[in-house]
Amino acid sequence: MPKILVADDSIAVRKVAERLLTEAGLVVTLAANGEDALALLAKEVPDLIVSDVIMPDKSGYEVCAFVRSQTALSNTPVLLISGIVNDEVTKQAESCHADGVLKKP
């Protein structure tokens, strides 16, 4: 089964994502912030990373840049999520080579 890492500082977002993705038959790992996400990525390579843009300590952009800099992770798709998707968010997502940006409801 495909493995998804969801990194978001909102417990509500993490729980909703976990429920929906698990119901879809995916294995979900949750991270409460960017540092936690990087620690998890040191242990396991997911099939997809979904990361909030704005989090304490490390942003989603920093998580994405880290993923792209690691040989074992560099081809892992990264989707960034944000409450606001504007030109600045899109530009920063492109600069860290994210695979896409999704707007949070």
Side-chain angles (χ1 to χ4, degrees):
M1 283 196 288
K3 294 182 249 176
I4 312 294
L5 170 61
V6 176
D8 197 300
D9 57 323
S10 166
I11 190 165
V13 170
R14 289 194 312 270
K15 290 300 180 184
V16 168
E18 180 180 38
R19 183 174 47 89
L20 292 172
L21 294 169
T22 301
E23 287 174 2
L26 304 169
V27 176
V28 180
T29 303
L30 302 174
N33 57 53
E35 284 292 333
D36 287 353
L38 297 185
L40 289 166
L41 290 169
K43 300 175 193 169
E44 184 176 333
V45 177
D47 296 299
L48 172 68
I49 300 164
V50 178
S51 179
D52 187 13
V53 167
I54 300 172
M55 294 184 288
D57 59 60
K58 300 274 186 215
S59 70
Y61 306 121
E62 291 171 299
V63 170
C64 185
F66 173 81
V67 168
R68 295 295 176 247
S69 73
Q70 303 299 304
T71 304
L73 297 169
S74 63
N75 292 322
T76 304
V78 178
L79 292 177
L80 297 176
I81 56 176
S82 177
I84 299 170
V85 177
N86 56 25
D87 289 342
E88 180 62 27
V89 171
T90 303
K91 200 176 292 182
Q92 284 190 267
E94 289 172 358
S95 73
C96 71
H97 303 288
D99 292 281
V101 180
L102 302 174
K103 186 174 185 328
K104 289 183 185 181

Coordinates of all heavy atoms in Angstrom, one line a residue:
M1 N 0.8 -1.2 0.0 CA 0.0 0.0 0.0 C 0.9 1.2 0.0 O 1.9 1.3 0.7 CB -0.9 0.0 1.2 CG -2.1 -0.9 1.2 SD -3.3 -0.5 2.4 CE -2.5 -1.1 3.9
P2 N 0.5 2.3 -0.8 CA 1.3 3.5 -0.8 C 1.3 4.2 0.6 O 0.3 4.2 1.3 CB 0.5 4.4 -1.8 CG -0.2 3.4 -2.6 CD -0.6 2.3 -1.7
K3 N 2.5 4.8 0.9 CA 2.7 5.5 2.1 C 2.7 7.0 1.9 O 3.4 7.5 1.0 CB 4.0 5.0 2.8 CG 4.0 3.6 3.2 CD 5.3 3.2 3.9 CE 6.1 2.3 3.0 NZ 7.4 2.0 3.4
I4 N 1.9 7.7 2.7 CA 1.8 9.2 2.6 C 2.3 9.8 4.0 O 1.9 9.3 5.0 CB 0.4 9.6 2.4 CG1 -0.3 8.8 1.3 CG2 0.3 11.1 2.2 CD1 0.3 9.0 -0.1
L5 N 3.2 10.8 3.9 CA 3.6 11.5 5.0 C 2.8 12.9 5.0 O 2.9 13.6 4.0 CB 5.1 11.8 5.1 CG 5.6 12.8 6.1 CD1 5.3 12.3 7.5 CD2 7.0 13.1 6.0
V6 N 2.1 13.2 6.0 CA 1.3 14.4 6.1 C 1.9 15.2 7.3 O 2.0 14.8 8.4 CB -0.2 14.2 6.4 CG1 -0.9 15.5 6.6 CG2 -0.8 13.4 5.3
A7 N 2.5 16.4 6.9 CA 3.1 17.3 7.9 C 2.2 18.6 8.0 O 2.1 19.3 7.0 CB 4.5 17.6 7.5
D8 N 1.7 18.8 9.2 CA 0.9 20.0 9.4 C 0.8 20.3 10.9 O 0.7 19.4 11.7 CB -0.6 19.8 8.8 CG -1.3 21.1 8.6 OD1 -1.5 21.9 9.6 OD2 -1.7 21.4 7.5
D9 N 0.9 21.6 11.2 CA 0.9 21.9 12.7 C -0.5 21.9 13.2 O -0.7 22.0 14.5 CB 1.6 23.2 12.9 CG 1.0 24.4 12.2 OD1 0.6 24.2 11.0 OD2 1.0 25.5 12.7
S10 N -1.5 21.8 12.4 CA -2.9 21.8 12.9 C -3.3 20.3 13.1 O -3.3 19.5 12.2 CB -3.8 22.4 11.8 OG -5.2 22.1 12.1
I11 N -3.7 20.0 14.3 CA -4.1 18.6 14.6 C -5.4 18.3 13.9 O -5.5 17.2 13.4 CB -4.3 18.4 16.2 CG1 -4.5 16.9 16.4 CG2 -5.4 19.2 16.7 CD1 -4.3 16.5 17.8
A12 N -6.2 19.3 13.7 CA -7.5 19.0 12.9 C -7.2 18.6 11.5 O -7.8 17.6 11.0 CB -8.4 20.2 13.0
V13 N -6.3 19.3 10.8 CA -5.9 19.0 9.5 C -5.3 17.6 9.4 O -5.6 16.8 8.5 CB -5.0 20.0 8.9 CG1 -4.4 19.6 7.5 CG2 -5.7 21.4 8.7
R14 N -4.4 17.3 10.4 CA -3.7 16.0 10.4 C -4.7 14.9 10.5 O -4.7 13.9 9.8 CB -2.7 15.9 11.5 CG -1.5 16.7 11.3 CD -0.3 16.4 12.2 NE -0.7 16.3 13.6 CZ -0.6 17.3 14.5 NH1 -0.3 18.5 14.0 NH2 -0.9 17.1 15.7
K15 N -5.7 15.0 11.4 CA -6.7 14.0 11.7 C -7.6 13.8 10.5 O -7.9 12.7 10.2 CB -7.5 14.3 13.0 CG -6.7 14.2 14.2 CD -6.1 12.7 14.4 CE -5.3 12.5 15.6 NZ -4.7 11.2 15.6
V16 N -8.1 14.9 9.9 CA -8.9 14.7 8.7 C -8.2 14.1 7.6 O -8.7 13.2 6.9 CB -9.5 16.1 8.3 CG1 -10.2 16.1 6.9 CG2 -10.5 16.7 9.3
A17 N -7.0 14.5 7.3 CA -6.2 13.9 6.3 C -5.9 12.4 6.5 O -6.1 11.6 5.6 CB -4.8 14.6 6.1
E18 N -5.6 12.1 7.8 CA -5.4 10.7 8.2 C -6.6 9.9 7.9 O -6.6 8.8 7.3 CB -5.0 10.6 9.6 CG -4.8 9.2 10.1 CD -4.4 9.1 11.5 OE1 -4.9 9.9 12.4 OE2 -3.5 8.3 11.9
R19 N -7.8 10.3 8.3 CA -9.0 9.6 8.1 C -9.3 9.4 6.7 O -9.6 8.3 6.2 CB -10.2 10.3 8.8 CG -11.5 9.5 8.7 CD -12.6 10.2 9.5 NE -12.7 11.6 9.3 CZ -13.5 12.2 8.4 NH1 -14.2 11.4 7.6 NH2 -13.6 13.5 8.3
L20 N -9.3 10.5 5.9 CA -9.6 10.4 4.5 C -8.6 9.5 3.7 O -9.1 8.6 2.9 CB -9.7 11.8 3.8 CG -10.8 12.7 4.3 CD1 -10.6 14.1 3.8 CD2 -12.1 12.1 3.9
L21 N -7.4 9.6 4.0 CA -6.4 8.8 3.2 C -6.4 7.4 3.7 O -6.2 6.5 2.8 CB -5.0 9.5 3.4 CG -4.8 10.8 2.8 CD1 -3.5 11.5 3.3 CD2 -4.9 10.8 1.3
T22 N -6.6 7.1 4.9 CA -6.7 5.7 5.4 C -7.9 5.0 4.8 O -7.8 3.9 4.4 CB -6.8 5.7 7.0 OG1 -5.6 6.3 7.5 CG2 -6.8 4.3 7.5
E23 N -9.0 5.8 4.8 CA -10.2 5.2 4.2 C -10.0 4.9 2.7 O -10.7 4.0 2.1 CB -11.4 6.2 4.3 CG -12.0 6.2 5.7 CD -13.0 7.3 5.9 OE1 -13.4 7.9 5.0 OE2 -13.5 7.4 7.1
A24 N -9.1 5.6 2.0 CA -8.8 5.4 0.6 C -7.8 4.3 0.5 O -7.4 4.0 -0.7 CB -8.2 6.7 0.0
G25 N -7.4 3.6 1.6 CA -6.5 2.5 1.5 C -5.0 2.8 1.5 O -4.2 2.0 1.2
L26 N -4.7 4.0 2.0 CA -3.3 4.4 2.1 C -2.8 4.3 3.5 O -3.5 4.4 4.5 CB -3.1 5.9 1.6 CG -3.7 6.1 0.2 CD1 -3.7 7.6 -0.1 CD2 -2.8 5.4 -0.9
V27 N -1.5 4.1 3.6 CA -0.8 4.1 4.9 C -0.4 5.5 5.2 O 0.3 6.1 4.4 CB 0.4 3.2 4.9 CG1 1.1 3.2 6.3 CG2 0.0 1.7 4.6
V28 N -0.7 6.1 6.4 CA -0.5 7.5 6.7 C 0.4 7.6 7.9 O 0.2 7.0 8.9 CB -1.8 8.2 6.9 CG1 -1.6 9.7 7.2 CG2 -2.8 8.1 5.8
T29 N 1.4 8.5 7.7 CA 2.3 8.9 8.8 C 2.1 10.3 9.0 O 2.0 11.1 8.1 CB 3.8 8.6 8.5 OG1 3.9 7.2 8.2 CG2 4.7 8.9 9.7
L30 N 2.0 10.8 10.3 CA 1.7 12.2 10.6 C 2.9 12.8 11.3 O 3.6 12.2 12.1 CB 0.5 12.3 11.5 CG -0.8 11.7 11.0 CD1 -1.9 11.8 12.1 CD2 -1.3 12.4 9.7
A31 N 3.1 14.1 10.9 CA 4.2 14.9 11.6 C 3.5 16.2 12.0 O 2.8 16.8 11.2 CB 5.3 15.2 10.6
A32 N 3.8 16.7 13.2 CA 3.2 17.9 13.7 C 3.9 19.2 13.3 O 3.4 20.3 13.5 CB 3.1 17.8 15.3
N33 N 5.1 19.0 12.7 CA 5.9 20.2 12.3 C 7.0 19.7 11.3 O 7.1 18.5 11.0 CB 6.4 21.0 13.4 CG 7.3 20.1 14.3 OD1 8.2 19.5 13.9 ND2 7.0 20.1 15.6
G34 N 7.7 20.7 10.8 CA 8.7 20.4 9.8 C 9.9 19.6 10.4 O 10.4 18.7 9.7
E35 N 10.3 19.9 11.6 CA 11.4 19.1 12.2 C 10.9 17.6 12.4 O 11.7 16.7 12.1 CB 11.7 19.7 13.6 CG 12.5 20.9 13.5 CD 14.0 20.7 13.0 OE1 14.5 19.6 13.2 OE2 14.5 21.7 12.5
D36 N 9.7 17.4 12.8 CA 9.2 16.0 12.9 C 9.2 15.3 11.6 O 9.5 14.1 11.5 CB 7.8 16.0 13.5 CG 7.8 16.3 15.0 OD1 8.8 16.4 15.6 OD2 6.6 16.4 15.5
A37 N 8.8 16.0 10.5 CA 8.8 15.5 9.2 C 10.2 15.0 8.8 O 10.4 13.9 8.2 CB 8.2 16.5 8.2
L38 N 11.2 15.9 9.0 CA 12.6 15.6 8.6 C 13.1 14.3 9.4 O 13.7 13.5 8.8 CB 13.5 16.8 8.8 CG 13.2 18.0 8.0 CD1 14.3 19.1 8.2 CD2 13.1 17.7 6.5
A39 N 12.7 14.3 10.7 CA 13.1 13.1 11.5 C 12.5 11.8 10.9 O 13.1 10.8 10.8 CB 12.7 13.3 12.9
L40 N 11.2 11.9 10.5 CA 10.5 10.7 10.0 C 11.1 10.3 8.6 O 11.3 9.1 8.3 CB 9.0 11.0 9.8 CG 8.3 11.0 11.1 CD1 6.9 11.6 10.9 CD2 8.1 9.6 11.7
L41 N 11.5 11.3 7.8 CA 12.1 11.1 6.5 C 13.5 10.4 6.6 O 13.9 9.8 5.7 CB 12.2 12.4 5.7 CG 10.8 12.9 5.2 CD1 10.9 14.3 4.7 CD2 10.2 12.0 4.2
A42 N 14.2 10.6 7.7 CA 15.5 10.0 8.0 C 15.3 8.5 8.2 O 16.2 7.7 7.9 CB 16.2 10.6 9.2
K43 N 14.1 8.0 8.6 CA 13.8 6.6 8.8 C 13.1 5.9 7.7 O 13.2 4.7 7.6 CB 13.0 6.5 10.1 CG 13.6 7.1 11.3 CD 12.6 7.0 12.5 CE 13.0 7.9 13.6 NZ 12.0 8.0 14.6
E44 N 12.3 6.6 6.9 CA 11.4 6.0 6.0 C 11.2 6.9 4.8 O 11.1 8.1 4.9 CB 10.1 5.7 6.7 CG 9.1 5.0 5.9 CD 7.9 4.7 6.7 OE1 8.0 4.6 8.0 OE2 6.8 4.6 6.1
V45 N 11.1 6.3 3.6 CA 10.8 7.0 2.4 C 9.4 6.8 2.0 O 9.0 5.7 1.6 CB 11.7 6.6 1.2 CG1 11.4 7.3 -0.1 CG2 13.2 6.8 1.6
P46 N 8.5 7.8 2.1 CA 7.1 7.7 1.7 C 7.0 7.7 0.2 O 7.9 8.1 -0.5 CB 6.4 8.9 2.4 CG 7.5 9.9 2.4 CD 8.8 9.2 2.6
D47 N 5.8 7.4 -0.3 CA 5.5 7.5 -1.7 C 5.0 8.9 -2.1 O 5.1 9.3 -3.2 CB 4.4 6.5 -2.1 CG 4.9 5.1 -1.9 OD1 5.8 4.7 -2.5 OD2 4.3 4.4 -1.1
L48 N 4.6 9.7 -1.1 CA 4.1 11.1 -1.3 C 4.3 11.8 0.0 O 4.0 11.3 1.1 CB 2.7 11.1 -1.7 CG 2.0 12.4 -1.8 CD1 2.5 13.3 -2.9 CD2 0.4 12.3 -2.0
I49 N 4.6 13.1 -0.1 CA 4.7 14.0 1.1 C 3.7 15.1 0.9 O 3.7 15.7 -0.2 CB 6.1 14.6 1.3 CG1 7.1 13.4 1.5 CG2 6.1 15.6 2.4 CD1 8.6 13.8 1.3
V50 N 2.9 15.3 1.8 CA 1.9 16.5 1.8 C 2.3 17.3 3.0 O 2.3 16.9 4.2 CB 0.5 16.0 1.9 CG1 -0.5 17.2 2.0 CG2 0.1 15.1 0.8
S51 N 2.7 18.6 2.8 CA 3.2 19.4 3.8 C 2.6 20.8 3.8 O 2.5 21.4 2.8 CB 4.7 19.6 3.7 OG 5.2 20.4 4.7
D52 N 2.2 21.3 5.0 CA 1.7 22.6 5.2 C 2.8 23.6 4.8 O 4.0 23.3 5.1 CB 1.2 22.8 6.6 CG 0.6 24.1 6.9 OD1 0.2 24.8 5.9 OD2 0.4 24.5 8.1
V53 N 2.5 24.7 4.3 CA 3.5 25.7 4.0 C 4.1 26.4 5.3 O 5.3 26.5 5.5 CB 3.0 26.8 3.0 CG1 3.9 28.0 2.9 CG2 2.7 26.2 1.6
I54 N 3.2 26.8 6.1 CA 3.6 27.6 7.3 C 3.5 26.7 8.5 O 2.4 26.3 8.9 CB 2.8 28.9 7.5 CG1 3.0 29.8 6.3 CG2 3.2 29.6 8.8 CD1 2.1 31.0 6.3
M55 N 4.6 26.3 9.1 CA 4.7 25.5 10.3 C 5.8 26.1 11.2 O 6.7 26.7 10.7 CB 5.0 24.1 10.0 CG 4.0 23.3 9.2 SD 4.4 21.6 9.0 CE 5.7 21.7 7.8
P56 N 5.7 25.8 12.5 CA 6.8 26.2 13.4 C 8.1 25.5 13.0 O 8.1 24.4 12.4 CB 6.4 25.6 14.8 CG 5.0 25.3 14.7 CD 4.7 25.1 13.2
D57 N 9.2 26.0 13.3 CA 10.6 25.6 13.0 C 10.9 25.5 11.5 O 11.6 26.3 11.0 CB 11.0 24.3 13.8 CG 10.1 23.1 13.5 OD1 10.0 22.7 12.4 OD2 9.4 22.6 14.5
K58 N 10.5 24.5 10.8 CA 10.8 24.3 9.4 C 9.5 24.5 8.6 O 8.5 23.9 8.9 CB 11.3 22.9 9.1 CG 12.6 22.6 9.8 CD 13.8 23.1 9.0 CE 15.1 22.6 9.6 NZ 16.1 23.6 9.5
S59 N 9.5 25.3 7.6 CA 8.3 25.5 6.7 C 8.2 24.3 5.7 O 9.1 23.5 5.6 CB 8.5 26.8 5.9 OG 9.5 26.7 4.9
G60 N 7.1 24.3 5.1 CA 6.9 23.3 4.0 C 7.9 23.5 2.9 O 8.3 22.5 2.3
Y61 N 8.2 24.7 2.6 CA 9.3 25.0 1.6 C 10.6 24.4 2.0 O 11.3 23.8 1.2 CB 9.5 26.5 1.4 CG 8.2 27.2 1.1 CD1 7.8 28.3 1.9 CD2 7.4 27.0 -0.1 CE1 6.7 29.0 1.6 CE2 6.3 27.7 -0.4 CZ 5.9 28.7 0.5 OH 4.8 29.4 0.2
E62 N 11.0 24.5 3.3 CA 12.2 23.9 3.8 C 12.2 22.4 3.7 O 13.2 21.8 3.4 CB 12.5 24.4 5.2 CG 12.9 25.9 5.2 CD 13.0 26.5 6.6 OE1 11.9 26.4 7.3 OE2 14.1 26.9 7.0
V63 N 11.0 21.8 4.1 CA 10.9 20.4 4.0 C 11.1 19.9 2.6 O 11.8 19.0 2.3 CB 9.5 19.9 4.6 CG1 9.3 18.4 4.2 CG2 9.4 20.2 6.0
C64 N 10.4 20.6 1.6 CA 10.5 20.3 0.2 C 12.0 20.4 -0.3 O 12.5 19.5 -1.0 CB 9.6 21.2 -0.6 SG 9.6 20.7 -2.4
A65 N 12.6 21.5 0.1 CA 14.0 21.7 -0.3 C 14.9 20.6 0.2 O 15.8 20.1 -0.5 CB 14.5 23.1 0.1
F66 N 14.7 20.2 1.5 CA 15.4 19.1 2.0 C 15.2 17.8 1.2 O 16.2 17.1 0.9 CB 15.0 18.8 3.5 CG 15.6 17.6 4.1 CD1 16.9 17.6 4.6 CD2 14.9 16.4 4.2 CE1 17.5 16.5 5.1 CE2 15.5 15.3 4.7 CZ 16.8 15.3 5.2
V67 N 14.0 17.5 0.9 CA 13.6 16.3 0.2 C 14.4 16.3 -1.2 O 15.0 15.3 -1.6 CB 12.1 16.2 -0.1 CG1 11.8 15.1 -1.1 CG2 11.4 15.9 1.3
R68 N 14.4 17.4 -1.9 CA 15.0 17.5 -3.2 C 16.5 17.4 -3.1 O 17.2 17.0 -4.0 CB 14.7 18.8 -3.9 CG 13.2 18.9 -4.2 CD 12.8 17.9 -5.2 NE 11.4 17.9 -5.5 CZ 10.5 17.0 -5.2 NH1 10.9 15.8 -4.6 NH2 9.2 17.1 -5.4
S69 N 17.1 17.7 -1.9 CA 18.6 17.7 -1.7 C 19.1 16.3 -1.4 O 20.3 16.0 -1.4 CB 19.0 18.7 -0.6 OG 18.7 18.2 0.6
Q70 N 18.2 15.3 -1.0 CA 18.6 14.0 -0.6 C 18.4 13.0 -1.7 O 17.3 12.9 -2.3 CB 17.7 13.6 0.6 CG 17.8 14.5 1.8 CD 19.2 14.6 2.3 OE1 19.8 13.6 2.7 NE2 19.7 15.8 2.4
T71 N 19.5 12.3 -2.1 CA 19.4 11.3 -3.2 C 18.3 10.3 -3.0 O 17.6 10.0 -3.9 CB 20.8 10.6 -3.3 OG1 21.8 11.6 -3.4 CG2 20.8 9.7 -4.5
A72 N 18.1 9.8 -1.8 CA 17.1 8.7 -1.6 C 15.7 9.3 -1.7 O 14.8 8.5 -1.9 CB 17.3 8.1 -0.2
L73 N 15.5 10.6 -1.5 CA 14.2 11.2 -1.4 C 13.9 12.1 -2.6 O 12.7 12.4 -2.9 CB 14.1 12.1 -0.2 CG 14.2 11.4 1.2 CD1 14.3 12.5 2.3 CD2 13.0 10.5 1.4
S74 N 14.9 12.4 -3.4 CA 14.7 13.5 -4.4 C 13.6 13.3 -5.4 O 13.0 14.3 -5.9 CB 16.0 13.7 -5.1 OG 16.4 12.6 -5.9
N75 N 13.2 12.1 -5.7 CA 12.1 11.8 -6.6 C 10.8 11.6 -6.0 O 9.8 11.4 -6.7 CB 12.5 10.6 -7.5 CG 13.6 10.8 -8.4 OD1 13.8 11.9 -9.0 ND2 14.5 9.8 -8.6
T76 N 10.7 11.8 -4.7 CA 9.4 11.7 -3.9 C 8.6 12.9 -4.2 O 9.0 14.0 -4.0 CB 9.7 11.6 -2.4 OG1 10.6 10.5 -2.2 CG2 8.4 11.3 -1.7
P77 N 7.3 12.7 -4.7 CA 6.5 13.8 -4.9 C 6.2 14.6 -3.6 O 5.9 14.0 -2.6 CB 5.2 13.2 -5.5 CG 5.6 11.8 -5.9 CD 6.7 11.4 -5.0
V78 N 6.2 15.9 -3.7 CA 5.8 16.8 -2.6 C 4.7 17.7 -3.0 O 4.9 18.5 -3.9 CB 7.1 17.6 -2.1 CG1 6.7 18.5 -1.0 CG2 8.2 16.7 -1.8
L79 N 3.6 17.7 -2.3 CA 2.5 18.6 -2.4 C 2.5 19.5 -1.2 O 2.5 19.0 -0.1 CB 1.2 17.9 -2.5 CG 0.9 17.0 -3.8 CD1 -0.4 16.3 -3.7 CD2 1.0 17.9 -5.0
L80 N 2.5 20.8 -1.5 CA 2.4 21.8 -0.4 C 0.9 22.2 -0.2 O 0.2 22.3 -1.2 CB 3.3 23.0 -0.7 CG 4.8 22.7 -0.8 CD1 5.5 23.9 -1.2 CD2 5.3 22.1 0.5
I81 N 0.5 22.4 1.0 CA -0.9 22.9 1.2 C -0.8 24.2 2.0 O 0.1 24.4 2.8 CB -1.7 21.9 2.0 CG1 -1.1 21.4 3.3 CG2 -2.0 20.7 1.1 CD1 -1.9 20.5 4.1
S82 N -1.8 25.1 1.7 CA -1.8 26.4 2.3 C -3.2 27.0 2.3 O -4.0 26.7 1.4 CB -0.9 27.4 1.5 OG -0.9 28.7 2.0
G83 N -3.5 27.8 3.4 CA -4.8 28.4 3.4 C -4.9 29.5 2.4 O -6.0 29.9 2.0
I84 N -3.8 30.1 2.0 CA -3.7 31.1 1.0 C -2.8 30.7 -0.2 O -1.7 30.3 0.1 CB -3.2 32.5 1.5 CG1 -4.1 32.9 2.7 CG2 -3.1 33.5 0.4 CD1 -3.6 34.1 3.4
V85 N -3.3 30.6 -1.4 CA -2.5 30.3 -2.5 C -2.5 31.5 -3.4 O -3.5 31.8 -4.0 CB -3.0 29.0 -3.3 CG1 -2.2 28.8 -4.5 CG2 -3.0 27.8 -2.4
N86 N -1.4 32.2 -3.4 CA -1.2 33.4 -4.3 C 0.1 33.3 -5.1 O 0.7 32.2 -5.0 CB -1.3 34.7 -3.4 CG -0.2 34.7 -2.3 OD1 0.8 34.0 -2.4 ND2 -0.5 35.4 -1.3
D87 N 0.4 34.4 -5.8 CA 1.6 34.3 -6.6 C 2.9 34.0 -5.8 O 3.8 33.3 -6.2 CB 1.8 35.6 -7.4 CG 0.8 35.8 -8.5 OD1 0.2 34.8 -8.9 OD2 0.6 36.9 -9.0
E88 N 3.0 34.6 -4.6 CA 4.1 34.4 -3.7 C 4.3 33.0 -3.3 O 5.4 32.4 -3.4 CB 4.1 35.3 -2.5 CG 5.2 35.2 -1.6 CD 6.6 35.6 -2.2 OE1 6.6 36.4 -3.1 OE2 7.6 35.0 -1.8
V89 N 3.2 32.4 -2.9 CA 3.2 30.9 -2.5 C 3.6 30.1 -3.7 O 4.4 29.2 -3.5 CB 1.8 30.5 -1.9 CG1 1.8 29.0 -1.6 CG2 1.6 31.3 -0.6
T90 N 3.0 30.3 -4.8 CA 3.2 29.6 -6.0 C 4.7 29.7 -6.4 O 5.4 28.7 -6.8 CB 2.3 30.0 -7.1 OG1 1.0 29.8 -6.7 CG2 2.6 29.2 -8.4
K91 N 5.2 30.9 -6.3 CA 6.6 31.2 -6.7 C 7.6 30.4 -5.8 O 8.5 29.8 -6.2 CB 6.9 32.7 -6.7 CG 8.1 33.1 -7.5 CD 8.3 34.6 -7.4 CE 7.1 35.3 -8.2 NZ 7.2 36.7 -8.3
Q92 N 7.3 30.5 -4.5 CA 8.2 29.8 -3.5 C 8.1 28.3 -3.7 O 9.1 27.6 -3.6 CB 7.8 30.2 -2.1 CG 8.4 31.6 -1.8 CD 8.2 31.9 -0.3 OE1 7.3 32.4 0.2 NE2 9.2 31.4 0.5
A93 N 6.9 27.8 -4.0 CA 6.7 26.4 -4.3 C 7.5 25.9 -5.5 O 8.1 24.9 -5.5 CB 5.2 26.0 -4.4
E94 N 7.5 26.7 -6.5 CA 8.3 26.4 -7.7 C 9.8 26.5 -7.4 O 10.5 25.6 -7.9 CB 7.9 27.4 -8.8 CG 6.6 27.2 -9.4 CD 6.2 28.3 -10.4 OE1 6.9 29.3 -10.6 OE2 5.0 28.2 -10.9
S95 N 10.2 27.4 -6.6 CA 11.6 27.5 -6.3 C 12.2 26.4 -5.5 O 13.4 26.0 -5.6 CB 11.9 28.9 -5.6 OG 11.5 28.8 -4.2
C96 N 11.4 25.7 -4.7 CA 11.8 24.5 -3.9 C 11.5 23.2 -4.7 O 11.7 22.2 -4.2 CB 11.3 24.5 -2.5 SG 9.5 24.2 -2.4
H97 N 10.9 23.4 -5.9 CA 10.6 22.3 -6.8 C 9.5 21.3 -6.2 O 9.6 20.1 -6.4 CB 11.8 21.5 -7.1 CG 12.9 22.3 -7.8 ND1 12.8 22.8 -9.0 CD2 14.1 22.8 -7.3 CE1 13.9 23.5 -9.3 NE2 14.6 23.5 -8.3
A98 N 8.5 21.9 -5.6 CA 7.3 21.2 -5.2 C 6.6 20.7 -6.4 O 6.6 21.4 -7.5 CB 6.4 22.0 -4.3
D99 N 5.9 19.6 -6.3 CA 5.1 19.1 -7.4 C 3.7 19.8 -7.6 O 3.1 19.6 -8.6 CB 4.9 17.6 -7.2 CG 6.2 16.9 -7.4 OD1 6.7 16.7 -8.5 OD2 6.8 16.5 -6.3
G100 N 3.3 20.5 -6.6 CA 2.1 21.2 -6.6 C 1.7 21.9 -5.3 O 2.3 21.7 -4.3
V101 N 0.7 22.8 -5.4 CA 0.2 23.5 -4.2 C -1.3 23.3 -4.2 O -2.0 23.6 -5.2 CB 0.6 25.0 -4.3 CG1 0.0 25.7 -3.0 CG2 2.1 25.2 -4.4
L102 N -1.8 22.9 -3.0 CA -3.2 22.7 -2.9 C -3.7 23.8 -1.8 O -3.0 24.0 -0.8 CB -3.6 21.3 -2.3 CG -3.1 20.2 -3.2 CD1 -3.4 18.9 -2.5 CD2 -3.8 20.2 -4.5
K103 N -4.9 24.3 -2.1 CA -5.5 25.2 -1.1 C -6.3 24.5 -0.1 O -7.1 23.6 -0.4 CB -6.4 26.2 -1.8 CG -6.9 27.3 -0.9 CD -7.7 28.4 -1.7 CE -8.1 29.5 -0.9 NZ -8.4 29.3 0.5
K104 N -6.0 24.8 1.2 CA -6.8 24.2 2.3 C -8.2 24.8 2.2 O -8.4 26.0 1.9 CB -6.2 24.6 3.6 CG -4.9 23.9 4.0 CD -4.5 24.3 5.4 CE -3.2 23.8 5.8 NZ -2.9 24.2 7.1
P105 N -9.2 24.0 2.5 CA -10.6 24.5 2.5 C -10.8 25.4 3.7 O -10.1 25.5 4.6 CB -11.5 23.2 2.7 CG -10.5 22.1 3.1 CD -9.2 22.5 2.8

